Amino acid sequence: MAWTPDGDRFAAADADGVVEIRDAATGELVRSIDAHDERVNGVAFSPDGALLGTTGDDGFAKVWELSTGEALHTFDSPLERDALALSFSPDGSLFAASWWNEGLIRVVGLDSGQVVRELAGAEVPNASSTSFDPTGTRIAAASRHGGVAVVDARTGEIELRLDAANSTDAAWSPDGTSLVVAGEDGTARVFDARTGEERAVLEGHRGQVTDVDWSSDGNRVVTAGADGAAKVWRLSGGRGRELFALSAHDTRSGIETAAFSPDGTQIVTGDVRKPAAIVRDAGITGEHDTG
């Protein structure tokens, strides 16, 4: 799941390789892209909303021009294995994706379509998530095997390692001072992005936390869980407090993704099994299922 920067639309990926762009207010289909031959496991919009990045179990990472629905760049796997963990830099000049089974992250210049940096080996093993910081100079790579590494996007040098084993996702706060990390142990942990010091532990899920995201004001975090709940937390004074949980019959198989809308008033969640997206009011005043 991913929101456009203006919050008017969102993208929902399906197991059949199709990505649907839907109107956030009505749930109506705006565009359908036949993106991959196998399951789409990641989607992200460029900062200007003109491009859509996708990754798939077929080993491809692709960048699409939304105005035409045509593929602008296609990057394949050397071993034809899973591609995932895509992200755009804040200025829209770079695109990153991980080839999990090959221990490889590629950083691509979107103007040229050429790989400008490859991160491989023990530094960032089997990354399941990549995320550029707000300056676009650092990438946080989360791994179930190697924890979280903060890497210089230009040199590939590791600047910081977080004490966060078995990590499934990592996301930067809007001001770049903190990282929230999802864990297989059912917690999300907030770290100082400069020192690596742990600031808060968010506990409450009864299974692994699969996805994390910040609200635009940096005061709230949403966590998605394999227990079928998405939880919203408020961070204040170095502590995290659960505000409310979002769950439904349709999500009991687990929630794979959860993301705040750009204005922080809505949350979109994606179910593990059902090909649906549910948009919920961040104050629990309503929701609608896009189908």
Side-chain angles (χ1 to χ4, degrees), residues 41-47 52-56 60-63 73 75 83-99 104-110 114-119 127-133 136 138-141 151-153:
N41 57 46
V43 290
F45 287 98
S46 62
L52 177 75
T54 65
T55 50
F60 285 91
K62 301 181 181 183
V63 178
H73 300 299
F75 311 99
L84 71 165
L86 72 163
S87 56
F88 286 93
S89 62
D91 65 0
S93 66
L94 298 175
F95 173 80
S98 167
W99 279 264
L104 173 68
I105 294 174
R106 286 174 172 171
V107 182
V108 178
L110 288 174
Q114 300 298 309
V115 176
V116 298
R117 175 67 54 192
E118 283 194 352
L119 312 175
S128 58
S129 165
T130 67
S131 176
F132 284 90
D133 79 337
R138 295 180 293 170
I139 297 174
V151 184
D152 188 303

Side-chain angles (χ1 to χ4, degrees), residues 69-273:
E70 299 295 324
L72 186 63
H73 300 299
T74 298
F75 311 99
D76 64 349
S77 161
L79 300 179
E80 299 182 356
R81 305 286 291 276
D82 298 354
L84 71 165
L86 72 163
S87 56
F88 286 93
S89 62
D91 65 0
S93 66
L94 298 175
F95 173 80
S98 167
W99 279 264
W100 186 87
N101 287 298
E102 297 161 43
L104 173 68
I105 294 174
R106 286 174 172 171
V107 182
V108 178
L110 288 174
D111 284 344
S112 65
Q114 300 298 309
V115 176
V116 298
R117 175 67 54 192
E118 283 194 352
L119 312 175
E123 289 82 4
V124 283
N126 310 114
S128 58
S129 165
T130 67
S131 176
F132 284 90
D133 79 337
T135 69
T137 60
R138 295 180 293 170
I139 297 174
S143 168
R144 287 178 167 87
H145 304 293
V148 176
V150 177
V151 184
D152 188 303
R154 296 160 295 187
T155 67
E157 294 182 2
I158 292 183
E159 297 185 351
L160 182 68
R161 283 193 183 276
L162 303 181
D163 184 14
N166 302 316
S167 302
T168 57
D169 188 32
W172 294 89
S173 62
D175 63 4
T177 63
S178 299
L179 278 160
V180 61
V181 178
E184 289 187 331
D185 62 355
T187 68
R189 299 175 184 270
V190 181
F191 293 87
D192 187 301
R194 292 163 294 192
T195 67
E197 179 183 358
E198 186 178 285
R199 289 178 168 175
V201 181
L202 312 179
E203 299 179 281
H205 285 281
R206 298 188 305 276
Q208 77 172 28
V209 178
T210 55
D211 196 32
V212 287
D213 191 34
W214 293 84
S215 61
S216 56
D217 60 10
N219 293 326
R220 290 167 295 158
V221 167
V222 61
T223 57
D227 56 2
K231 295 179 180 288
V232 177
W233 311 78
R234 181 172 295 281
L235 302 178
S236 178
R239 301 183 64 182
R241 178 172 63 90
E242 183 181 329
L243 295 179
F244 50 81
L246 308 171
S247 60
H249 176 78
D250 287 340
T251 64
R252 288 179 182 172
S253 58
I255 296 178
E256 191 164 10
T257 58
F260 277 103
S261 61
D263 64 4
T265 63
Q266 293 179 300
I267 294 167
V268 64
T269 63
D271 184 70
V272 170
R273 296 180 182 176

